[in-house]
């Protein structure tokens, strides 16, 4: 059930990429897909009645959630910001050249 | 806790639909903020405070970048006239999405149940993390010690992206 809602968020983003013709809308949809994947990885690592993976005492053993997906998502979030910024830069440059965000108008591949 | 998680996820899906379908680019960008900040709360509920801190910073930056880009260019959404091509491509997309939904539903049955993950590699990290790396935060010990090469690759990607942005947006030396 809870994984299914996550998949639904992914599909909303995918429909935006497939149906929209505006470059900014496509970038927003890509970011939504990214977020749904981060949420999926965090959901996979979750454990019932567990605490965040920070060691607070040496003697008693706590029940920690999985630290590995969290570490990988931490890396992926920062890379997501970098790719989004690069995409926005390209979109702004395309707008300067063609005067539109419409992907149908951007056909003239000359320098 | 579980009901709160589901409510937040439904809110995120609604925000995503508004972001994709709205007629105005500025409101689309701000609705994307619902998804991002909702994700921060989901991370907090899922016991991942490090992720929540990073996500709130990154989401703010993403919104600032997107709003700056939209204000500098245009806020108008492109008008699509109803033609047969548009209708056919819409129907084809909906069919593909429904098929994908069924495939996703089948695949999620194979996963371990929510809340009971199989810890194999992480067992080692949890038991040996403090002793081998000296970091009390196990997430830090994974990204900065056990998988430090991942972080090096991340820094490389960040550097490359910054170089790309500078190369694309540079005004000096451009032929007009």
């Amino acid at each position: 059930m809870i994984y299914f809602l996550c998949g639904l968020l992914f599909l909303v983003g995918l429909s935006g990429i497939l149906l929209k013709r505006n470059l900014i809308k496509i970038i927003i949809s890509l970011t939504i897909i990214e977020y749904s994947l981060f949420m999926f990885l965090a959901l996979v690592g979750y454990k019932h009645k567990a605490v965040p993976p920070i060691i607070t005492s040496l003697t008693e053993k706590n029940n920690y959630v999985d630290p590995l997906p969290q570490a990988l998502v931490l890396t992926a979030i920062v890379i997501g910001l970098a790719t989004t910024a690069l995409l926005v830069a390209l979109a702004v440059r395309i707008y300067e050249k063609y005067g539109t965000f419409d992907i149908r108008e951007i056909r003239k591949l000359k320098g | 806790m579980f009901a709160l998680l589901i409510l937040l996820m439904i809110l995120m899906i609604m925000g995503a639909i508004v972001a994709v379908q709205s007629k105005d680019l500025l409101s689309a960008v701000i609705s994307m903020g619902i998804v991002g900040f909702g994700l921060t709360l989901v991370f907090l509920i899922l016991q991942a405070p490090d992720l929540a801190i990073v996500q709130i910073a990154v989401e703010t930056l993403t919104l600032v970048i997107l709003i700056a880009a939209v204000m500098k260019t245009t806020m108008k959404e492109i008008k699509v006239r109803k033609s047969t091509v548009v209708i056919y491509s819409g129907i084809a997309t909906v069919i593909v999405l429904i098929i994908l939904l069924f495939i996703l539903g089948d695949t999620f049955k194979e996963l371990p149940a929510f809340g009971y993950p199989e810890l194999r590699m992480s067992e080692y990290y949890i038991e040996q993390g403090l002793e081998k790396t000296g970091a009390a935060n196990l997430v830090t010990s994974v990204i900065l010690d056990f998988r430090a090469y991942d972080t090096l690759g991340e820094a490389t990607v960040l550097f490359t992206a910054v170089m790309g942005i500078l190369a694309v947006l540079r005004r000096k030396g451009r032929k007009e």
Side-chain angles (χ1 to χ4, degrees):
Chain A
M1 165 70 186
I2 201 144
Y3 291 133
F4 198 73
L5 283 175
C6 201
L8 217 58
L9 190 61
F10 182 90
L11 290 183
V12 169
L14 192 63
S15 75
I17 288 184
L18 290 175
L19 286 175
K20 291 294 159 183
R21 285 170 171 172
N22 194 320
L23 273 175
I24 296 287
K25 281 282 179 73
I26 291 175
I27 293 169
I28 288 173
S29 310
L30 256 177
T31 317
I32 288 170
I33 286 188
E34 242 171 46
Y35 289 164
S36 79
L37 289 176
F38 298 158
M39 189 162 67
F40 177 71
L41 285 175
L43 286 172
V44 165
Y46 180 69
K47 209 176 189 181
H48 272 308
K49 298 199 176 73
V51 293
I54 297 167
I55 295 170
T56 45
S57 87
L58 289 173
T59 46
E60 57 183 296
K61 284 199 80 175
N62 271 320
N63 190 12
Y64 297 118
V65 298
D66 196 346
L68 185 56
Q70 293 193 10
L72 297 184
V73 169
L74 202 63
T75 311
I77 288 175
V78 179
I79 290 178
L81 173 68
T83 49
T84 308
L86 185 56
L87 282 171
V88 170
L90 284 171
V92 169
R93 184 75 184 88
I94 285 173
Y95 186 84
E96 278 175 10
K97 191 158 181 64
Y98 292 95
T100 178
F101 279 132
D102 194 341
I103 55 173
R104 288 168 304 178
E105 309 273 321
I106 305 161
R107 283 184 185 151
K108 290 169 276 178
L109 281 175
K110 54 186 181 188
Chain B
M1 206 56 117
F2 194 67
L4 185 62
L5 194 60
I6 286 179
L7 259 177
L8 264 175
M9 285 167 87
I10 290 171
L11 179 73
M12 282 170 73
I13 290 171
M14 278 156 58
I17 291 172
V18 172
V20 170
Q21 299 294 341
S22 83
K23 298 273 175 230
D24 180 11
L25 285 186
L26 190 62
S27 53
V29 170
I30 290 170
S31 319
M32 201 201 82
I34 297 177
V35 184
F37 289 119
L39 186 63
T40 311
L41 293 176
V42 168
F43 282 152
L44 272 182
I45 292 173
L46 292 177
Q47 309 287 356
D50 307 88
L51 288 186
I53 294 167
V54 173
Q55 173 66 27
I56 210 166
V58 162
E59 177 61 29
T60 314
L61 271 176
T62 313
L63 283 185
V64 168
I65 291 170
L66 274 170
I67 288 176
V70 167
M71 298 298 264
K72 191 162 175 268
T73 53
T74 178
M75 285 183 214
K76 267 182 260 148
E77 165 71 316
I78 297 154
K79 285 200 189 71
V80 180
R81 274 181 286 111
K82 289 232 185 321
S83 63
T84 45
V85 180
V86 174
I87 293 168
Y88 281 141
S89 66
I91 292 171
T93 312
V94 168
I95 290 171
V96 167
L97 289 181
I98 288 172
I99 292 170
L100 262 177
L101 193 64
F102 279 108
I103 294 173
L104 278 177
D106 258 11
T107 319
F108 288 151
K109 282 177 200 149
E110 309 280 324
L111 285 171
F114 175 67
Y116 303 94
E118 294 172 20
L119 302 180
R120 286 199 294 267
M121 194 66 216
S122 315
E123 204 73 54
Y124 175 79
Y125 290 150
I126 290 171
E127 270 158 25
Q128 306 284 320
L130 183 60
E131 202 178 307
K132 294 228 159 136
T133 65
N137 189 340
L138 290 170
V139 176
T140 320
S141 77
V142 172
I143 56 169
L144 291 181
D145 207 301
F146 290 116
R147 286 170 184 263
Y149 283 116
D150 272 2
T151 312
L152 184 66
E154 175 200 336
T156 317
V157 171
L158 262 180
F159 181 71
T160 319
V162 171
M163 295 303 284
I165 293 166
L166 287 180
V168 168
L169 289 183
R170 198 171 67 128
R171 296 205 177 274
K172 225 168 142 188
R174 190 189 283 176
K175 275 186 236 159
E176 287 299 341

